[in-house]
Amino acid sequence: MLFPTMLVGSYAQPEWLIDRKKLAGRFPPRVRAKELWRIAEPFLAEAQDDATVLAIRAQEEAGLDIITDGEIRPESSSSRFATALEGVDMDNPGAALDRSAHPNPVPRNVGKIRRKHPVEVSDLEFLKRHTKRPVKMTVPGPFTMSQQAQNDFYPSEEEASLDYAA
C-alpha cells in the first residue's frame, strides 16, 4: 500500500440522526447539545450505532484502506472526550472564543483533570467488530482541549494542557 487512503475529519452524521438546521447556525458544540439529536434518549445509542455502521460501510465501499468510526456518536469529538474527564464541568458552561472570535459555550476546568474511565475504547471495539480493515480513532489533543475550555482552576493554560495530556 503505497499511499493508504482514509477519511480525515468526521463523516457527515445522517439527517435522520441529527438536526442539521439547528447545527448549521453554530460552530461544533463543545458542551452537551442534546437538542441536536432527532432520536429520543432511550433509542439514541442504538441509532448512533446504526449510523456508525453505515459510515463504516460507506468507507469500505469507497475503497478506503483505513477505516474510522466517523465520529458519529458525539456532537463533537472534543465534547465527547470532555464528558469523560473529572475536573471538567460540562453542565455549567463557560465561554471561549470560537474560530470567528465569537464567544462559544465551552466546558469549564473546575478541578484537577483526570480520566474517569476509558474514553473511546468501546467505540474502537465496535469499529473493529464491524470491519476487517485497519482502523483509526480520532482523539482531540491536549492543546485543543485546553483551548476549548474555560480555565477556572489551573494557574496557567500550560498546566491545564499537561493534565489533559496525562
Side-chain angles (χ1 to χ4, degrees):
M1 191 178 334
L2 182 59
F3 294 108
T5 57
M6 66 189 85
L7 180 69
V8 176
S10 303
Y11 192 83
Q13 294 157 313
E15 183 73 33
W16 55 263
L17 182 62
I18 199 156
D19 189 328
R20 295 219 172 279
K21 287 181 184 168
K22 288 181 182 174
L23 185 60
R26 61 193 289 183
F27 277 100
R30 304 302 176 206
V31 295
R32 290 184 184 106
K34 293 180 180 182
E35 71 278 3
L36 296 176
W37 299 111
R38 292 186 182 273
I39 308 297
E41 182 65 35
F43 310 104
L44 182 57
E46 182 179 0
Q48 290 168 331
D49 284 350
D50 291 346
T52 299
V53 169
L54 292 173
I56 292 167
R57 295 295 167 260
Q59 292 171 76
E60 290 174 335
E61 288 171 15
L64 297 182
D65 299 307
I66 301 171
I67 307 298
T68 177
D69 72 344
E71 298 179 58
I72 298 292
R73 291 178 184 86
E75 292 94 344
S76 74
S77 61
S78 57
S79 69
R80 181 166 179 90
F81 202 85
T83 60
L85 300 173
E86 192 176 286
V88 177
D89 186 347
M90 295 288 289
D91 297 318
N92 302 296
L97 298 181
D98 61 26
R99 292 176 287 220
S100 63
H102 293 95
N104 195 27
V106 295
R108 290 182 316 113
N109 298 336
V110 296
K112 184 157 179 62
I113 297 168
R114 290 190 179 105
R115 202 165 36 106
K116 295 186 277 191
H117 50 76
V119 180
E120 293 192 20
V121 172
S122 62
D123 295 342
L124 176 61
E125 291 168 343
F126 183 90
L127 174 58
K128 285 181 168 187
R129 282 194 309 273
H130 288 89
T131 188
K132 300 292 183 217
R133 297 188 188 175
V135 299
K136 71 170 190 162
M137 295 296 293
T138 302
V139 179
F143 176 75
T144 298
M145 294 298 295
S146 67
Q147 293 299 299
Q148 296 176 358
Q150 178 176 305
N151 182 13
D152 292 344
F153 178 76
Y154 289 91
S156 70
E157 286 187 26
E158 180 182 1
E159 289 180 64
S161 293
L162 289 171
D163 275 357
Y164 275 116

